[in-house]
Amino acid sequence: LELPHLSFFAGAKIPSSIPPERVPEVAFVGRSNVGKSSLINALADTTIVRTSNKPGLTRQINFYAASRIFNMIDMPGYGFAYVKEEELIQWGKLIETYITMRTTLKKIYVIIDARHGIKLADVNFLEMLDKKDVKFQIVLTKCDMVIPPDLARRYVVVKKKLNQYKNANEEPLMVSARKKAGILNLRKEILQTVEA
Ligand code: GDP
């Protein structure tokens, strides 16, 4: 199972540069360094996002077209330790505009490091998604770094935490970009989401 060919078509640093709505979209977000770029590349099965190009520094939303069928959106990471207040406000405005206005946005995949679980920066983001009525699903990544019994426990804890959110998909997904585990399953999930 493969996704349609993905190609970059727009980057938005400010709300007015967000491209017009055309096709269904899914977006990826997470704390800086969580493994978002690696995951998007694994899904695409090619390097479309440079992992050295740290999104914590380039605060823009990147739009990738999947053969005009749907779009995959790479959102700038949050929870970066050293950002200027000014930058944070700009990030907030951009993200908030995108997620509140975007009628074509079907789901946000919130990427969580399987070693760390849901942190405060994640909670803040999830609460915003709930408030804005945006559907989301948790993707636990770097699962190769956690031994199976700990991973099983982590999964249960995360799943339980999701009860408090009305817009959360109740099933967290588990992946490893490095070992290419869970990638087919996530592709399938994405295709179902954009076709729904
Ligand atoms: P981003 O800042 O969220 O885009 O994170 P990157 O994709 O750049 O990854 C951050 C670091 O985590 C890099 O050193 C990656 O090699 C590593 N990484 C990403 N995904 C995985 C994974 O599934 N397993 C392991 N072990 N390391 C990963």
Coordinates of all heavy atoms in Angstrom, one line a residue, residues 48-134:
I48 N 10.9 13.7 1.5 CA 10.3 15.0 1.0 C 10.5 16.1 2.1 O 10.4 17.3 1.7 CB 8.8 14.8 0.7 CG1 8.0 14.3 1.9 CG2 8.5 13.9 -0.5 CD1 6.5 14.5 1.8
V49 N 10.7 15.7 3.3 CA 11.1 16.7 4.3 C 12.5 16.5 4.7 O 12.9 15.4 5.1 CB 10.2 16.6 5.6 CG1 10.4 17.8 6.5 CG2 8.7 16.5 5.2
R50 N 13.3 17.6 4.7 CA 14.7 17.4 5.2 C 14.7 17.4 6.7 O 14.2 18.3 7.3 CB 15.5 18.6 4.7 CG 16.1 18.4 3.3 CD 16.7 19.7 2.8 NE 15.8 20.7 2.7 CZ 16.1 22.0 2.8 NH1 17.3 22.4 2.9 NH2 15.1 22.9 2.7
T51 N 15.2 16.3 7.3 CA 15.2 16.2 8.7 C 16.2 17.2 9.4 O 16.0 17.4 10.6 CB 15.4 14.8 9.2 OG1 16.6 14.3 8.5 CG2 14.3 13.9 8.8
S52 N 17.1 17.6 8.7 CA 18.1 18.6 9.2 C 17.5 20.0 9.3 O 17.9 20.8 10.1 CB 19.4 18.6 8.4 OG 19.1 18.9 7.1
N53 N 16.5 20.2 8.5 CA 15.9 21.5 8.4 C 14.9 21.6 9.6 O 13.7 21.3 9.5 CB 15.1 21.6 7.1 CG 14.6 23.0 6.9 OD1 14.7 23.9 7.7 ND2 13.9 23.2 5.8
K54 N 15.4 22.1 10.7 CA 14.6 22.0 12.0 C 13.4 22.9 11.9 O 13.5 24.1 11.8 CB 15.5 22.4 13.2 CG 16.4 21.2 13.6 CD 15.5 20.1 14.1 CE 16.0 18.7 13.7 NZ 15.0 17.7 13.7
P55 N 12.2 22.3 12.0 CA 11.0 23.1 11.9 C 10.8 24.0 13.1 O 10.0 25.0 13.0 CB 9.9 22.0 11.9 CG 10.5 20.8 12.5 CD 12.0 20.9 12.2
G56 N 11.5 23.8 14.2 CA 11.4 24.7 15.3 C 11.9 26.1 14.9 O 11.6 27.1 15.6
L57 N 12.7 26.1 13.9 CA 13.3 27.4 13.5 C 12.6 28.0 12.3 O 12.5 29.2 12.2 CB 14.8 27.2 13.2 CG 15.6 26.6 14.3 CD1 17.0 26.2 13.9 CD2 15.7 27.6 15.5
T58 N 12.1 27.1 11.4 CA 11.3 27.6 10.3 C 9.8 27.4 10.6 O 9.3 26.4 10.4 CB 11.6 26.9 9.0 OG1 11.7 25.5 9.3 CG2 12.9 27.4 8.4
R59 N 9.2 28.5 11.1 CA 7.8 28.3 11.6 C 6.9 28.6 10.4 O 6.2 29.6 10.4 CB 7.6 29.3 12.7 CG 8.7 29.3 13.8 CD 8.2 29.5 15.1 NE 8.8 28.5 16.0 CZ 8.1 27.6 16.7 NH1 6.8 27.5 16.6 NH2 8.8 26.8 17.5
Q60 N 6.8 27.6 9.6 CA 5.8 27.7 8.5 C 5.1 26.4 8.3 O 5.5 25.3 8.7 CB 6.5 28.2 7.2 CG 7.4 27.2 6.6 CD 7.8 27.7 5.2 OE1 8.0 28.8 4.9 NE2 8.1 26.7 4.3
I61 N 3.9 26.5 7.8 CA 3.1 25.3 7.5 C 3.4 24.9 6.0 O 3.4 25.8 5.1 CB 1.5 25.6 7.6 CG1 1.2 26.2 8.9 CG2 0.7 24.4 7.3 CD1 -0.3 26.5 9.1
N62 N 3.8 23.7 5.9 CA 4.1 23.2 4.5 C 3.0 22.3 4.0 O 2.6 21.4 4.7 CB 5.5 22.5 4.6 CG 6.6 23.4 4.8 OD1 6.7 24.5 4.2 ND2 7.6 23.0 5.6
F63 N 2.7 22.6 2.7 CA 1.6 21.8 2.1 C 2.2 20.9 1.0 O 2.9 21.3 0.1 CB 0.6 22.8 1.4 CG -0.2 23.6 2.4 CD1 0.4 24.7 3.1 CD2 -1.5 23.3 2.8 CE1 -0.3 25.4 4.0 CE2 -2.2 24.0 3.7 CZ -1.6 25.1 4.3
Y64 N 1.8 19.6 1.1 CA 2.2 18.6 0.1 C 1.0 18.1 -0.6 O 0.1 17.6 0.1 CB 3.0 17.5 0.8 CG 4.3 18.0 1.4 CD1 4.3 18.4 2.7 CD2 5.5 18.0 0.7 CE1 5.5 18.9 3.3 CE2 6.7 18.4 1.2 CZ 6.7 18.9 2.6 OH 7.8 19.4 3.1
A65 N 1.0 18.1 -1.9 CA -0.2 17.5 -2.6 C 0.1 16.1 -2.9 O 1.1 15.7 -3.3 CB -0.3 18.3 -3.9
A66 N -0.9 15.3 -2.6 CA -0.9 13.8 -2.9 C -1.7 13.7 -4.2 O -2.9 13.4 -4.1 CB -1.4 13.0 -1.8
S67 N -1.0 13.8 -5.3 CA -1.6 13.7 -6.6 C -3.0 14.3 -6.8 O -3.9 13.7 -7.3 CB -1.7 12.2 -7.0 OG -0.7 11.8 -7.8
R68 N -3.2 15.5 -6.3 CA -4.5 16.2 -6.4 C -5.6 15.5 -5.7 O -6.8 15.9 -5.9 CB -4.8 16.5 -7.8 CG -3.8 17.4 -8.5 CD -4.4 18.1 -9.7 NE -3.3 18.5 -10.6 CZ -3.1 18.2 -11.8 NH1 -4.0 17.3 -12.4 NH2 -2.1 18.6 -12.5
I69 N -5.3 14.4 -5.0 CA -6.4 13.7 -4.3 C -6.6 14.2 -2.9 O -7.8 14.4 -2.5 CB -6.1 12.2 -4.3 CG1 -5.9 11.6 -5.7 CG2 -7.2 11.4 -3.6 CD1 -5.3 10.3 -5.8
F70 N -5.5 14.4 -2.2 CA -5.6 15.1 -0.9 C -4.3 15.8 -0.6 O -3.3 15.6 -1.4 CB -5.9 14.0 0.2 CG -4.9 13.0 0.4 CD1 -3.9 13.1 1.4 CD2 -4.9 11.8 -0.3 CE1 -3.0 12.2 1.6 CE2 -3.9 10.8 -0.1 CZ -2.9 11.0 0.9
N71 N -4.3 16.5 0.5 CA -3.0 17.2 0.9 C -2.5 16.7 2.2 O -3.4 16.3 3.1 CB -3.2 18.7 1.0 CG -3.5 19.4 -0.3 OD1 -3.2 18.9 -1.4 ND2 -4.2 20.5 -0.2
M72 N -1.2 16.6 2.4 CA -0.6 16.3 3.7 C 0.1 17.6 4.1 O 0.8 18.2 3.4 CB 0.4 15.2 3.6 CG -0.3 13.9 3.3 SD 0.3 12.4 4.1 CE 2.1 12.6 4.2
I73 N -0.2 18.0 5.4 CA 0.3 19.2 5.9 C 1.3 19.0 7.0 O 1.0 18.2 8.0 CB -0.9 20.1 6.5 CG1 -2.1 20.1 5.6 CG2 -0.5 21.5 6.9 CD1 -1.9 20.5 4.2
D74 N 2.4 19.6 6.9 CA 3.5 19.6 7.9 C 3.4 20.9 8.7 O 3.7 21.9 8.2 CB 4.8 19.4 7.2 CG 6.0 19.3 8.2 OD1 5.7 19.1 9.4 OD2 7.1 19.3 7.8
M75 N 2.9 20.7 10.0 CA 2.8 22.0 10.8 C 4.0 22.2 11.6 O 4.7 21.2 12.0 CB 1.6 21.8 11.7 CG 0.3 21.4 11.0 SD -1.1 22.4 11.5 CE -1.4 21.9 13.2
P76 N 4.4 23.4 11.8 CA 5.6 23.7 12.6 C 5.5 23.1 14.0 O 4.4 23.2 14.6 CB 5.7 25.2 12.6 CG 4.4 25.7 12.3 CD 3.7 24.7 11.5
G77 N 6.6 22.6 14.5 CA 6.6 21.9 15.8 C 6.4 22.9 17.0 O 6.7 24.1 16.9
Y78 N 5.8 22.4 18.1 CA 5.6 23.3 19.2 C 6.5 22.8 20.4 O 7.2 21.8 20.3 CB 4.1 23.3 19.7 CG 3.5 22.0 19.9 CD1 3.8 21.2 21.0 CD2 2.6 21.4 19.0 CE1 3.2 20.0 21.3 CE2 2.0 20.2 19.2 CZ 2.3 19.5 20.3 OH 1.8 18.2 20.5
G79 N 6.5 23.5 21.5 CA 7.3 23.1 22.6 C 8.8 23.3 22.5 O 9.5 22.7 23.2
F80 N 9.2 24.1 21.5 CA 10.6 24.4 21.3 C 11.1 25.2 22.5 O 10.4 26.2 22.9 CB 10.8 25.1 20.0 CG 12.1 24.9 19.4 CD1 12.3 23.7 18.7 CD2 13.1 25.8 19.5 CE1 13.6 23.5 18.1 CE2 14.3 25.6 18.9 CZ 14.6 24.4 18.2
A81 N 12.2 24.9 23.1 CA 12.6 25.5 24.3 C 12.9 27.0 24.2 O 12.5 27.8 25.1 CB 13.8 24.7 24.9
Y82 N 13.6 27.4 23.2 CA 14.1 28.7 23.1 C 13.5 29.5 22.0 O 14.2 29.7 21.0 CB 15.6 28.8 23.1 CG 16.2 28.0 24.2 CD1 16.7 26.7 24.0 CD2 16.3 28.4 25.5 CE1 17.3 25.9 25.0 CE2 16.8 27.7 26.5 CZ 17.3 26.4 26.3 OH 17.8 25.7 27.3
V83 N 12.3 29.9 22.1 CA 11.7 30.8 21.0 C 11.4 32.1 21.6 O 11.0 32.2 22.8 CB 10.5 30.2 20.3 CG1 10.9 29.3 19.2 CG2 9.5 29.6 21.3
K84 N 11.5 33.1 20.8 CA 11.1 34.5 21.3 C 9.6 34.5 21.4 O 8.9 33.9 20.6 CB 11.6 35.5 20.3 CG 13.1 35.8 20.4 CD 13.6 36.9 19.5 CE 14.2 36.3 18.2 NZ 14.1 36.9 17.0
E85 N 9.1 35.3 22.3 CA 7.7 35.5 22.6 C 7.0 35.9 21.3 O 5.9 35.4 21.0 CB 7.6 36.7 23.6 CG 6.2 37.2 23.8 CD 5.6 36.8 25.1 OE1 6.4 36.5 26.0 OE2 4.4 36.8 25.2
E86 N 7.6 36.8 20.5 CA 7.1 37.3 19.3 C 6.8 36.2 18.3 O 5.8 36.1 17.7 CB 8.2 38.2 18.7 CG 7.7 39.3 17.8 CD 9.0 40.1 17.3 OE1 9.5 40.9 18.1 OE2 9.4 39.9 16.2
E87 N 7.8 35.3 18.2 CA 7.7 34.1 17.3 C 6.5 33.2 17.7 O 5.8 32.6 16.9 CB 9.0 33.3 17.4 CG 9.9 33.5 16.2 CD 11.0 32.6 16.2 OE1 10.9 31.4 15.7 OE2 12.1 32.9 16.8
L88 N 6.4 33.1 19.1 CA 5.4 32.2 19.6 C 4.0 32.7 19.3 O 3.1 32.0 18.9 CB 5.5 32.1 21.1 CG 5.5 30.7 21.7 CD1 6.7 30.6 22.7 CD2 4.2 30.3 22.3
I89 N 3.8 34.0 19.4 CA 2.6 34.7 19.1 C 2.2 34.5 17.6 O 1.1 34.1 17.2 CB 2.6 36.2 19.5 CG1 2.6 36.3 21.0 CG2 1.4 36.9 18.9 CD1 3.0 37.6 21.5
Q90 N 3.3 34.6 16.7 CA 3.1 34.5 15.3 C 2.7 33.0 15.0 O 1.8 32.8 14.2 CB 4.4 34.8 14.6 CG 4.1 35.3 13.2 CD 5.4 35.5 12.4 OE1 6.5 35.8 13.0 NE2 5.4 35.4 11.1
W91 N 3.3 32.1 15.6 CA 3.0 30.7 15.5 C 1.6 30.4 15.8 O 0.8 29.8 15.1 CB 4.0 29.8 16.3 CG 3.7 28.3 16.3 CD1 4.2 27.5 15.3 CD2 2.9 27.6 17.2 NE1 3.8 26.2 15.6 CE2 2.9 26.2 16.7 CE3 2.1 27.9 18.3 CZ2 2.2 25.2 17.3 CZ3 1.4 26.9 18.9 CH2 1.5 25.5 18.4
G92 N 1.2 30.9 17.0 CA -0.2 30.7 17.5 C -1.2 31.2 16.5 O -2.2 30.5 16.2
K93 N -1.0 32.4 16.0 CA -1.9 33.0 15.0 C -2.1 32.2 13.8 O -3.1 32.0 13.3 CB -1.4 34.4 14.6 CG -1.9 35.5 15.6 CD -1.6 36.9 15.0 CE -1.6 38.0 16.0 NZ -0.6 39.0 15.7
L94 N -0.9 31.7 13.3 CA -0.9 31.0 12.0 C -1.6 29.6 12.2 O -2.5 29.3 11.4 CB 0.6 30.7 11.7 CG 0.8 29.9 10.4 CD1 0.3 30.6 9.2 CD2 2.3 29.5 10.3
I95 N -1.3 28.9 13.3 CA -1.9 27.6 13.5 C -3.4 27.8 13.8 O -4.2 27.0 13.3 CB -1.2 26.9 14.8 CG1 0.3 26.7 14.5 CG2 -1.9 25.6 15.1 CD1 0.6 25.9 13.3
E96 N -3.7 28.8 14.6 CA -5.1 29.0 15.0 C -6.0 29.3 13.7 O -7.1 28.8 13.6 CB -5.2 30.1 16.0 CG -6.4 29.8 16.9 CD -6.4 30.7 18.1 OE1 -5.4 30.8 18.8 OE2 -7.4 31.4 18.4
T97 N -5.4 30.2 12.9 CA -6.1 30.5 11.7 C -6.4 29.3 10.8 O -7.5 29.0 10.4 CB -5.3 31.6 10.8 OG1 -5.0 32.7 11.7 CG2 -6.2 32.0 9.7
Y98 N -5.3 28.5 10.6 CA -5.4 27.3 9.8 C -6.4 26.4 10.3 O -7.3 25.9 9.6 CB -4.0 26.7 9.6 CG -4.1 25.3 8.9 CD1 -4.4 25.3 7.6 CD2 -4.0 24.2 9.6 CE1 -4.5 24.1 6.9 CE2 -4.1 22.9 9.0 CZ -4.4 22.9 7.6 OH -4.5 21.7 7.0
I99 N -6.3 26.0 11.6 CA -7.2 25.0 12.1 C -8.7 25.4 12.3 O -9.6 24.6 12.2 CB -6.7 24.3 13.4 CG1 -6.7 25.2 14.6 CG2 -5.3 23.6 13.2 CD1 -6.3 24.5 15.9
T100 N -8.9 26.7 12.5 CA -10.3 27.2 12.7 C -11.0 27.4 11.3 O -12.2 27.2 11.2 CB -10.4 28.4 13.5 OG1 -9.3 29.3 13.2 CG2 -10.4 28.2 15.0
M101 N -10.2 27.8 10.3 CA -10.9 28.2 9.1 C -11.0 27.0 8.1 O -11.8 27.1 7.2 CB -10.1 29.3 8.4 CG -9.6 30.5 9.2 SD -11.0 31.5 9.7 CE -11.3 32.4 8.2
R102 N -10.1 26.0 8.3 CA -9.9 25.0 7.2 C -11.1 24.0 7.2 O -11.0 23.0 8.0 CB -8.6 24.3 7.5 CG -8.0 23.8 6.2 CD -7.5 24.9 5.3 NE -6.7 24.3 4.2 CZ -6.4 25.1 3.2 NH1 -6.7 26.3 3.1 NH2 -5.6 24.6 2.2
T103 N -12.0 24.2 6.3 CA -13.1 23.2 6.3 C -12.7 21.9 5.7 O -13.4 20.9 5.9 CB -14.3 23.8 5.5 OG1 -13.9 24.0 4.2 CG2 -14.8 25.1 6.1
T104 N -11.6 21.9 4.9 CA -11.1 20.7 4.2 C -10.3 19.8 5.2 O -9.9 18.7 4.8 CB -10.3 21.1 3.0 OG1 -9.5 22.2 3.3 CG2 -11.2 21.4 1.8
L105 N -9.9 20.4 6.3 CA -9.1 19.6 7.3 C -9.8 18.5 7.9 O -10.8 18.7 8.7 CB -8.5 20.6 8.3 CG -7.6 20.0 9.4 CD1 -6.4 19.3 8.8 CD2 -7.2 21.0 10.4
K106 N -9.5 17.3 7.6 CA -10.2 16.1 8.1 C -9.7 15.7 9.5 O -10.5 15.2 10.3 CB -10.1 14.9 7.2 CG -10.7 15.2 5.8 CD -12.2 15.2 5.9 CE -12.8 15.4 4.5 NZ -14.2 15.7 4.6
K107 N -8.4 15.7 9.7 CA -7.9 15.2 11.0 C -6.4 15.7 11.1 O -5.7 15.9 10.2 CB -7.8 13.7 10.9 CG -7.5 13.0 12.3 CD -7.3 11.5 12.1 CE -8.6 10.8 12.2 NZ -8.4 9.3 12.1
I108 N -6.1 15.9 12.4 CA -4.7 16.2 12.7 C -4.1 15.0 13.5 O -4.7 14.5 14.4 CB -4.6 17.5 13.6 CG1 -5.1 18.7 12.9 CG2 -3.1 17.7 14.1 CD1 -4.8 20.0 13.5
Y109 N -3.0 14.5 13.0 CA -2.2 13.5 13.6 C -1.2 14.1 14.6 O -0.3 14.8 14.1 CB -1.5 12.6 12.6 CG -2.5 11.8 11.8 CD1 -2.9 12.2 10.5 CD2 -3.1 10.6 12.3 CE1 -3.8 11.5 9.7 CE2 -4.0 9.9 11.5 CZ -4.4 10.4 10.3 OH -5.3 9.7 9.5
V110 N -1.4 13.9 15.9 CA -0.5 14.5 16.8 C 0.5 13.5 17.2 O 0.2 12.4 17.8 CB -1.3 15.0 18.1 CG1 -0.3 15.7 19.1 CG2 -2.4 16.0 17.7
I111 N 1.8 13.8 16.9 CA 2.8 12.8 17.1 C 3.4 13.0 18.5 O 3.8 14.1 18.9 CB 3.9 13.0 16.0 CG1 3.2 12.9 14.6 CG2 5.0 11.9 16.1 CD1 3.9 13.5 13.5
I112 N 3.5 11.8 19.1 CA 4.0 11.8 20.5 C 5.2 10.8 20.6 O 5.1 9.7 20.0 CB 2.9 11.3 21.5 CG1 1.6 12.2 21.4 CG2 3.4 11.2 22.9 CD1 1.7 13.5 22.1
D113 N 6.3 11.2 21.2 CA 7.4 10.3 21.4 C 7.0 9.2 22.4 O 6.6 9.5 23.5 CB 8.6 11.1 22.0 CG 9.9 10.3 22.0 OD1 9.9 9.1 22.3 OD2 10.9 11.0 21.7
A114 N 7.1 7.9 21.9 CA 6.6 6.8 22.7 C 7.4 6.7 24.0 O 6.9 6.1 25.0 CB 6.7 5.5 21.9
R115 N 8.6 7.2 24.1 CA 9.4 7.1 25.3 C 8.9 8.1 26.4 O 9.1 7.9 27.5 CB 10.9 7.5 25.0 CG 11.6 6.5 24.1 CD 12.9 7.0 23.6 NE 12.8 8.3 22.9 CZ 13.8 9.0 22.4 NH1 15.0 8.6 22.6 NH2 13.6 10.1 21.8
H116 N 8.3 9.2 25.9 CA 7.9 10.2 26.9 C 6.4 10.4 27.1 O 6.0 10.9 28.2 CB 8.4 11.6 26.4 CG 9.9 11.6 26.1 ND1 10.4 12.2 25.0 CD2 10.9 11.0 26.7 CE1 11.8 12.0 24.9 NE2 12.1 11.2 26.0
G117 N 5.6 9.9 26.2 CA 4.1 10.1 26.4 C 3.7 11.5 26.2 O 4.4 12.4 25.7
I118 N 2.5 11.8 26.7 CA 1.9 13.1 26.5 C 2.4 14.1 27.6 O 2.3 13.9 28.8 CB 0.3 13.0 26.6 CG1 -0.2 12.1 25.5 CG2 -0.3 14.4 26.6 CD1 -1.7 11.9 25.5
K119 N 3.1 15.2 27.1 CA 3.7 16.2 27.9 C 2.8 17.4 28.0 O 1.8 17.5 27.2 CB 5.1 16.5 27.4 CG 6.0 15.4 27.5 CD 6.4 15.1 28.9 CE 7.6 14.1 29.0 NZ 7.8 13.7 30.4
L120 N 3.1 18.3 28.9 CA 2.3 19.6 29.0 C 2.1 20.3 27.7 O 1.0 20.8 27.4 CB 3.0 20.5 30.1 CG 2.2 21.7 30.4 CD1 0.8 21.4 31.0 CD2 2.9 22.6 31.4
A121 N 3.2 20.4 26.9 CA 3.0 21.2 25.7 C 2.0 20.5 24.8 O 1.2 21.1 24.0 CB 4.4 21.3 24.9
D122 N 2.0 19.1 24.9 CA 1.0 18.4 24.1 C -0.4 18.6 24.6 O -1.4 18.8 23.8 CB 1.3 16.9 24.1 CG 2.7 16.5 23.6 OD1 3.0 17.0 22.5 OD2 3.4 15.8 24.4
V123 N -0.6 18.6 25.9 CA -1.9 18.8 26.5 C -2.4 20.1 26.1 O -3.6 20.2 25.7 CB -1.8 18.7 28.1 CG1 -3.0 19.2 28.8 CG2 -1.4 17.3 28.5
N124 N -1.6 21.2 26.1 CA -2.1 22.5 25.7 C -2.6 22.5 24.3 O -3.6 23.1 24.0 CB -0.9 23.5 25.8 CG -0.6 23.8 27.3 OD1 -1.4 23.6 28.2 ND2 0.7 24.2 27.5
F125 N -1.9 21.8 23.4 CA -2.3 21.7 22.0 C -3.6 20.9 21.9 O -4.5 21.3 21.1 CB -1.1 21.1 21.2 CG -1.4 21.3 19.7 CD1 -1.1 22.5 19.1 CD2 -1.9 20.3 18.9 CE1 -1.3 22.7 17.8 CE2 -2.1 20.5 17.6 CZ -1.8 21.7 17.0
L126 N -3.7 19.8 22.5 CA -4.9 19.0 22.4 C -6.1 19.7 22.9 O -7.2 19.6 22.4 CB -4.7 17.7 23.2 CG -3.5 16.7 22.8 CD1 -3.5 15.4 23.6 CD2 -3.6 16.5 21.3
E127 N -5.9 20.5 24.0 CA -7.0 21.3 24.5 C -7.5 22.3 23.5 O -8.7 22.5 23.4 CB -6.6 21.9 25.9 CG -6.8 20.9 27.0 CD -6.3 21.4 28.3 OE1 -5.8 22.6 28.4 OE2 -6.3 20.6 29.3
M128 N -6.5 22.9 22.8 CA -6.9 23.8 21.8 C -7.7 23.1 20.7 O -8.7 23.6 20.2 CB -5.7 24.5 21.2 CG -6.1 25.5 20.1 SD -4.7 26.4 19.4 CE -3.8 25.2 18.5
L129 N -7.3 22.0 20.3 CA -8.0 21.2 19.2 C -9.4 20.9 19.6 O -10.3 21.0 18.8 CB -7.2 19.9 18.9 CG -5.8 20.1 18.2 CD1 -5.2 18.7 17.9 CD2 -5.9 21.0 17.0
D130 N -9.6 20.5 20.9 CA -10.9 20.2 21.4 C -11.8 21.5 21.4 O -12.9 21.4 21.0 CB -10.8 19.7 22.8 CG -11.4 18.3 22.9 OD1 -11.5 17.6 21.9 OD2 -11.7 17.9 24.0
K131 N -11.2 22.6 21.8 CA -11.9 23.8 21.9 C -12.4 24.3 20.4 O -13.5 24.8 20.2 CB -11.1 24.9 22.5 CG -11.9 26.0 23.2 CD -11.1 26.6 24.3 CE -9.9 27.4 23.8 NZ -9.0 27.9 24.8
K132 N -11.5 24.0 19.5 CA -11.8 24.5 18.1 C -12.5 23.4 17.3 O -12.7 23.6 16.1 CB -10.5 24.8 17.4 CG -9.6 25.8 18.1 CD -10.1 27.2 17.8 CE -9.2 28.2 18.5 NZ -9.8 29.6 18.6
D133 N -12.8 22.3 18.0 CA -13.6 21.3 17.3 C -12.9 20.6 16.1 O -13.5 20.4 15.1 CB -15.0 21.8 16.9 CG -16.0 21.1 17.6 OD1 -15.8 20.0 18.2 OD2 -17.2 21.6 17.7
V134 N -11.6 20.4 16.3 CA -10.8 19.7 15.3 C -10.5 18.3 15.7 O -10.1 18.0 16.8 CB -9.4 20.4 15.1 CG1 -8.6 19.7 14.0 CG2 -9.7 21.9 14.7

